[in-house]
Structures are given as structure tokens and as C-alpha cells.
């Protein structure tokens, strides 16, 4: 049988990424992270779109080179259709369309959040169905019941900020750079959780993080007024306290869902799943509640085309292709 070789492109936010997958095995995964947004303290959509245009060709060429694959060997080209920033998505969609047209090969659209979850199928061990996935990124926070490779049931999600935004916005208040998630993670390792930040009371499996951000802001404004060196003198403890609270909010809802749905196959995905405290918490809960836990390799936590390639491989097997008229979608249902 001939191999199935797919090129996948991810451009939904501020990472330009391309990957090649051969017979379900990711053989290259190249990502150019846009550093330019650091100076603005957040992702500027127009700047992101322009940076994708500059990076996409070299990133795709590097992914093909690393995989030792020529363009004419490709069987399909996949892309992130959404959700994400429209101008960013447009670059990846247009590029994929051009490739598909020039090579007369099919196009495969992939849902970004489904791909974060399907990143668990890149390496062993793979979760058994049905499993729960806590998907935590800069734009989303969801608890998803994954029935099979194509059926995703969102049990709960954030009603305001995402978990990644909670990290990033708290970091901004603390005067840290963007994205603050990895910086808070690093500083938290040196600190103790001595500050008590409130836990939102939200029903069901939904989340809210905007109240936490406001509480942190008011707390620090008051403390800084009393002592202008407060943040500087307590930075590690503040980071640890904020991180622990975000994690406790996530873990409480996740364990509630696991219990109610009688599921002990538990996964985490998305950029925030790179957080060392969250990874540790999942493992500790796993021991306590007898869960089988699944934590992705770091390169497949934050945005990457490897996960898009994995999702595309399964769609290829079902001949789920789209026409050249396909448009990106900033908002896209699971
Ligand atoms: O999945 P992702 O790369 O992009 C989106 O789809 O949004 O997630 C990016 C988010 C950012 O908010 C970033 O601060 C957060 O993931 N993040 C982390 C860590 N690494 C990335 N948050 C906490 N700890 C980390 N180690
Ligand atoms: Zn993402």
C-alpha cells in the first residue's frame, strides 16, 4: 500500500507552524513563534497576520526538508480553519489552497481545539474512549468529553477569560512580559502560596477567570500604595499563589466532571498544559482518584502543526475533504 503523506499548516494565532505526517506518524513539526508581540504586551492581530506571511514559506520548506519529502509526494494539505484570529487564519488557509490547487491534491480543514485534543494520538500512550480532556489555552478553557476521534462534547467552558489569559493578564499586572504564563510558571517554583485569592462560584462545569484578575488587581493596587516595593519583594510568592488558584479552579471542575461521568481516562491539552504546576496536579489527582492521565509532550502543548497533521490524518482516512471555496472561521463550533 502507498504511504499517506500530508502537509499540515497552523496559523490561528501567533505561531506559524508546519508539519508532515506519514502514515499517522508526525515526522516533522516546525514552528516560528512571533516574538514581535512582546513589545505590545499581547498579540496584535494585524502584526500577527503580516508575520505569518513572512514566515509561512520558510516554515513549510523546513518541515518538508526535515521530513525529506518533496512537494509532489504529498497526498493532501491540511490547515487550521478556526477558531482563531481571522487575519492569521487567512494566511494559512490561502497558502494551503494554493498548494492544493498547484499539486491537484485534496484539502483538509481542521478545528484548532479538536486538534489540541488529538495531539494525544501523536505518541504513546493514547487515551481510551471515552476520555475527558481539559483543554486550556490562551483563547479557550473547556472540559470536553471525547467519545471517539470525531465526536467531541463540550461539558463546560469559560464564560469570560481563558485560563491562559488569566496567567497572561495577572502577569501584566505584576509587570511581567508577554506571554506571562511560562514566566509565572518559572517564578512560582521559587515561591510559596501565601496569598489567598478568591475562587469564583460558577455552576456546572463552566469557568470564570475575570473576577480573579480583578481581585489580584485590587489587592496589588492596595498593597503597592502601602509599600511600593511590595510586588518586587513578593514576586515569587505572588506567582505561586496566582498559579495555585488557577490550577485549583481547573482541577475542581475537572474532578467533578470525571466523577459525574464515571470516567477515569483524563487528559490535558493546550498551551497551559505546559504549566509544571498543572502537570503535577493532574498526576497527583491521578494517584488519588485512580485516573489514567495523559499529558502531551511540550512541543505538542502550545500551538503546533503536528496536532493539525494528526487530526488531518484521521480525516484523510474518512476522505473528509473540503473544496477550494472554504473560508477561515474566527469562531467555530466543536
Ligand atoms: O495553545 P496556545 O499556544 O495558544 C492558543 O491557542 O491560545 O496557548 C497559549 C497560552 C498563553 O496564554 C500562555 O501564557 C500559556 O498558553 N502558557 C502557559 C505556559 N506555557 C504557555 N501558561 C502557564 N504555564 C506555562 N508553562
Ligand atoms: Zn491553541
Amino acid at each position: 500500500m502507498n504511504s499517506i503523506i500530508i502537509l499540515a499548516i497552523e496559523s490561528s494565532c501567533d505561531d506559524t507552524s508546519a508539519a508532515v505526517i506519514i502514515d499517522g506518524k508526525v515526522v516533522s513539526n516546525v514552528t516560528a513563534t512571533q516574538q514581535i508581540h512582546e513589545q505590545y504586551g499581547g498579540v496584535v492581530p494585524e502584526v500577527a497576520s503580516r508575520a505569518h506571511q513572512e514566515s509561512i514559506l520558510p516554515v513549510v520548506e523546513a518541515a518538508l526538508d526535515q521530513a525529506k519529502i518533496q512537494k509532489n509526494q504529498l497526498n493532501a494539505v491540511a490547515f487550521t480553519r478556526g477558531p482563531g484570529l481571522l487575519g492569521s487564519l487567512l494566511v494559512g488557509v490561502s497558502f494551503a489552497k494554493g498548494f492544493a490547487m498547484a499539486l491537484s491534491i485534496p484539502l483538509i480543514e481542521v478545528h484548532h481545539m479538536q486538534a489540541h485534543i488529538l495531539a494525544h494520538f501523536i505518541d504513546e500512550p493514547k487515551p481510551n474512549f471515552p476520555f475527558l480532556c481539559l483543554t486550556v489555552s490562551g483563547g479557550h478553557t473547556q472540559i470536553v468529553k471525547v467519545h471517539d476521534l470525531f465526536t467531541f462534547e463540550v461539558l463546560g467552558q469559560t464564560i469570560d477569560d481563558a485560563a491562559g489569559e488569566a496567567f497572561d493578564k495577572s502577569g501584566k499586572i505584576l509587570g511581567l512580559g508577554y506571554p506571562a504564563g511560562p514566566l509565572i510558571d518559572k517564578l512560582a517554583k521559587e515561591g510559596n502560596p501565601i496569598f489567598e485569592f478568591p475562587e469564583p462560584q460558577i455552576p456546572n462545569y463552566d469557568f470564570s477567570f475575570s473576577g480573579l484578575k480583578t481581585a489580584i488587581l485590587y489587592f496589588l493596587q492596595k498593597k503597592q500604595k502601602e509599600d511600593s516595593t511590595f510586588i518586587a519583594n513578593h514576586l515569587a510568592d505572588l506567582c505561586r499563589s496566582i498559579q495555585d488558584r488557577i490550577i485549583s479552579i481547573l482541577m475542581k471542575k475537572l474532578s467533578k466532571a470525571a466523577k459525574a461521568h464515571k470516567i477515569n481516562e483524563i487528559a490535558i491539552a493546550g498551551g497551559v498544559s505546559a504549566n509544571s504546576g498543572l502537570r503535577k496536579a493532574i498526576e497527583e489527582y491521578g494517584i488519588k482518584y485512580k485516573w489514567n492521565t495523559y499529558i502531551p509532550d511540550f512541543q505538542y502543548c502550545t500551538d503546533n502543526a503536528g496536532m493539525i497533521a494528526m487530526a488531518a490524518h484521521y480525516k484523510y482516512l474518512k476522505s473528509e475533504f473540503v473544496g477550494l471555496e472554504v473560508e477561515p472561521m474566527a469562531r467555530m463550533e466543536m
Side-chain angles (χ1 to χ4, degrees):
M1 205 187 88
N2 288 335
S3 284
I4 303 167
I5 309 174
I6 304 169
L7 168 72
I9 294 162
E10 155 64 33
S11 72
S12 66
C13 190
D14 59 344
D15 295 300
T16 317
S17 188
V20 173
I21 188 166
I22 303 179
D23 294 329
K25 197 173 180 328
V26 175
V27 292
S28 67
N29 181 39
V30 178
T31 304
T33 300
Q34 303 174 2
Q35 309 292 350
I36 188 162
H37 305 286
E38 268 176 37
Q39 61 188 285
Y40 304 108
V43 177
V44 182
E46 290 78 8
V47 175
S49 174
R50 205 168 317 130
H52 282 303
Q53 286 173 33
E54 281 163 17
S55 322
I56 195 154
L57 190 58
V59 165
V60 166
E61 280 176 346
L64 290 169
D65 276 359
Q66 282 184 21
K68 299 190 177 58
I69 288 295
Q70 307 291 322
K71 293 183 190 81
N72 61 11
Q73 290 177 276
L74 294 170
N75 298 104
V77 54
F79 62 93
T80 305
R81 185 175 182 194
L85 301 170
L86 204 56
S88 291
L89 291 164
L90 194 59
V91 177
V93 176
S94 310
F95 194 90
K97 280 187 196 178
F99 238 79
M101 206 161 19
L103 296 166
S104 298
I105 52 174
L107 259 184
I108 301 173
E109 63 161 40
V110 173
H111 188 292
H112 182 83
M113 299 311 292
Q114 293 179 2
H116 267 301
I117 296 171
L118 294 178
H120 285 287
F121 293 82
I122 295 174
D123 292 323
E124 297 295 338
K126 298 179 170 106
N128 299 298
F129 298 111
F131 67 92
L132 289 186
C133 189
L134 174 69
T135 315
V136 273
S137 72
H140 294 81
T141 300
Q142 297 178 324
I143 297 177
V144 183
K145 185 171 178 180
V146 187
H147 294 270
D148 59 45
L149 288 168
F150 304 97
T151 317
F152 302 85
E153 181 189 352
V154 180
L155 301 181
Q157 57 194 323
T158 183
I159 57 169
D160 41 52
D161 290 350
E165 268 179 297
F167 273 103
D168 295 337
K169 289 181 177 174
S170 304
K172 202 169 187 177
I173 299 169
L174 292 172
L176 302 175
Y178 177 87
L183 302 170
I184 291 180
D185 188 354
K186 200 165 162 229
L187 286 161
K189 290 189 180 123
E190 314 287 311
N192 293 306
I194 57 171
F195 302 108
E196 187 80 18
F197 293 114
E199 187 187 329
Q201 303 302 318
I202 306 293
N204 307 322
Y205 306 121
D206 287 334
F207 300 95
S208 166
F209 287 103
S210 72
L212 176 64
K213 172 195 65 193
T214 311
I216 294 167
L217 179 68
Y218 288 167
F219 172 78
L220 290 176
Q221 276 177 345
K222 185 168 164 279
K223 290 288 182 188
Q224 282 290 106
K225 219 179 207 171
E226 291 162 13
D227 169 10
S228 63
T229 62
F230 182 82
I231 293 179
N233 286 339
H234 298 86
L235 192 56
D237 290 341
L238 284 164
C239 287
R240 179 65 190 272
S241 305
I242 292 167
Q243 176 171 298
D244 279 17
R245 175 50 85 214
I246 294 172
I247 293 170
S248 77
I249 294 169
L250 294 170
M251 293 309 298
K252 193 169 178 180
K253 294 293 173 102
L254 180 62
S255 49
K256 187 177 162 188
K259 195 172 170 207
H261 287 261
K262 296 190 174 59
I263 292 178
N264 68 347
E265 294 282 307
I266 310 289
I268 51 170
V272 180
S273 62
N275 183 270
S276 60
L278 181 60
R279 293 167 90 92
K280 201 164 148 235
I282 289 278
E283 278 172 358
E284 284 169 2
Y285 272 64
I287 293 166
K288 189 169 165 198
Y289 295 112
K290 299 194 167 49
W291 292 348
N292 297 320
T293 55
Y294 302 90
I295 302 175
D297 196 67
F298 280 108
Q299 64 167 322
Y300 301 125
C301 286
T302 46
D303 288 348
N304 67 90
M307 66 186 196
I308 305 300
M310 195 67 246
H313 175 76
Y314 293 122
K315 287 196 158 188
Y316 186 93
L317 295 177
K318 289 214 317 179
S319 301
E320 261 194 42
F321 305 128
V322 287
L324 287 168
E325 69 288 349
V326 65
E327 300 278 355
M329 286 176 83
R331 290 170 162 273
M332 198 174 171
E333 291 299 309
M334 279 291 259

